[in-house]
Amino acid sequence: MSRTTLTPVSYLVLGWIAHSPATPYDLKRRVAESVGHFWEFPHSQLYAEPARLAGLGLLGEEQEQQGRRRRVYSITQAGREALEAWLREPTSEEPQIRDIGLLKLFFSSSLDSESVIALARAQEQSHRDKLSTYEELDRRVPKEAVSAHATLQAGLAFERAFIDFWGEIASRRPSA
Amino acid sequence: MSRTTLTPVSYLVLGWIAHSPATPYDLKRRVAESVGHFWEFPHSQLYAEPARLAGLGLLGEEQEQQGRRRRVYSITQAGREALEAWLREPTSEEPQIRDIGLLKLFFSSSLDSESVIALARAQEQSHRDKLSTYEELDRRVPKEAVSAHATLQAGLAFERAFIDFWGEIASRRPSA
DNA sequence: TAACCGATGATCCGTTTCGGATGATAAACG
DNA sequence: CGTTTATCATCCGAAACGGATCATCGGTTA
């Protein structure tokens, strides 16, 4: 028997479909250009999860008739309630930050400081690039797209924090 | 046949054992009070991974004789080389940030602004608490523990960024 | 000193997640 | 048309996950 509890992916799907009906492929694209910027979800889950949610009565499923077989999902009353209950309930889990660069920094004591600086500079640059991407997106994305806008705000905040962090490492090391 | 490529967990283990020999349980504790603060690793992996790395010749394994069976792992020359090669090689993967609070914010358009403010305040507070924890740790941890110190620097930076982000959401919303 | 007990340490195993490979249909182009 | 390229969907083995369980130790009490 399949899982009956809801996971973050469940709410991701529920949240997007509450916004408007969608096929799994729609979800895949929506996610890629929103939260997917810093939280990746395997597309296979975005196909499997709606089916499961439909089985739980939280989504309605409708086969498109002609052409390629594709399923359009829409939110049910129960689904909307589950989503809103979750939105309102307090969040307990702590955010997870999985950063290979940081992992390397932790173990960099066995490394010469040149290499550490190189690491820090590379990380800083990579975050600067990403910051530009977000700024560019910020110009394009209409203000009324609230969800997308929040993503960008968060993205911008993160990238600036990363840039500061690595920038300081890069500049502080050589003198030490 | 078991995996031969190395994952982040592999390097986590390699990095800590390069620092000094350890049993899986030692790893579990070391990780919990360092990178584990924002990147959780299931302990079962910290038992399985050293065994695999030993199989690859990157760690040496030594059974303790008397008492409870426990394995002490130490780094081999090959292991040290693998670790340093990884440290030096450029990092391509983008950091992943998995934050339930943000996920909720993305879908908060269906929510009244009171609830959004409540969410933002709760998140802000929770990050303030964590910031205090890090500051407290920062006082205790000796400066020469480089790895631990870097963790704390990163943790402090993240928490401050989160606090700013949520604080702004909380304060900007009511007027809108 | 035997029975207990909480803390420590290790292992197991069923579920989920992951992500790459593959398959299928549609659209575009010559 | 036939061929290519983009879109869309599914599959499946491998790895991660995390809770349950088991084993051992060092006390503490009677």
Side-chain angles (χ1 to χ4, degrees), chain A residues 22-135:
Chain A
T23 70
Y25 190 71
D26 293 334
L27 288 175
K28 179 185 155 185
R29 280 181 307 169
R30 290 183 190 176
V31 169
E33 65 195 20
S34 63
V35 64
H37 280 302
F38 45 81
W39 185 346
E40 285 175 18
F41 296 88
H43 61 104
S44 53
Q45 270 195 84
L46 300 182
Y47 280 89
E49 194 62 27
R52 172 155 39 219
L53 294 175
L56 296 175
L58 303 179
L59 294 180
E61 182 179 336
E62 194 175 349
Q63 284 273 357
E64 257 184 18
Q65 301 315 65
Q66 71 281 49
R68 174 187 313 213
R69 72 185 173 304
R70 54 211 303 261
R71 297 174 172 82
V72 182
Y73 292 91
S74 49
I75 193 108
T76 63
Q77 185 56 26
R80 203 172 286 280
E81 279 161 16
L83 176 62
E84 296 198 358
W86 173 75
L87 286 173
R88 256 181 258 276
E89 108 199 349
T91 303
S92 52
E93 306 94 300
E94 313 250 308
Q96 297 282 310
I97 295 169
R98 305 186 170 192
D99 185 336
I100 302 289
L102 278 180
L103 209 49
K104 288 186 179 175
L105 181 65
F106 300 149
F107 298 119
S108 63
S109 49
S110 60
L111 223 52
D112 55 297
S113 52
E114 317 302 319
S115 302
V116 178
I117 293 170
L119 167 65
R121 282 203 213 293
Q123 291 296 109
E124 186 188 354
Q125 188 54 48
S126 136
H127 285 291
R128 280 194 193 285
D129 294 346
K130 194 141 194 204
L131 182 64
S132 308
T133 307
Y134 284 137
E135 284 169 343

Side-chain angles (χ1 to χ4, degrees), chain B residues 91-154:
Chain B
T91 303
S92 52
E93 305 96 301
E94 313 250 307
Q96 296 283 308
I97 296 170
R98 308 188 168 188
D99 186 335
I100 301 289
L102 278 180
L103 208 49
K104 289 186 179 177
L105 182 65
F106 299 150
F107 298 119
S108 63
S109 48
S110 61
L111 222 52
D112 55 297
S113 52
E114 317 303 320
S115 302
V116 178
I117 294 170
L119 167 64
R121 282 203 213 294
Q123 292 297 109
E124 186 189 353
Q125 188 54 48
S126 136
H127 286 292
R128 281 195 193 284
D129 293 347
K130 195 141 192 204
L131 181 65
S132 309
T133 307
Y134 284 137
E135 284 170 343
E136 177 64 19
L137 284 173
D138 198 27
R139 264 172 248 124
R140 286 197 215 293
V141 170
K143 285 291 155 69
E144 64 274 15
V146 179
S147 162
H149 210 255
T151 318
L152 286 175
Q153 292 307 108

Side-chain angles (χ1 to χ4, degrees), chain B residues 25 43-44 47 68-71:
Chain B
Y25 191 71
H43 61 104
S44 52
Y47 281 88
R68 177 186 314 213
R69 72 187 173 302
R70 57 210 304 259
R71 297 175 172 81

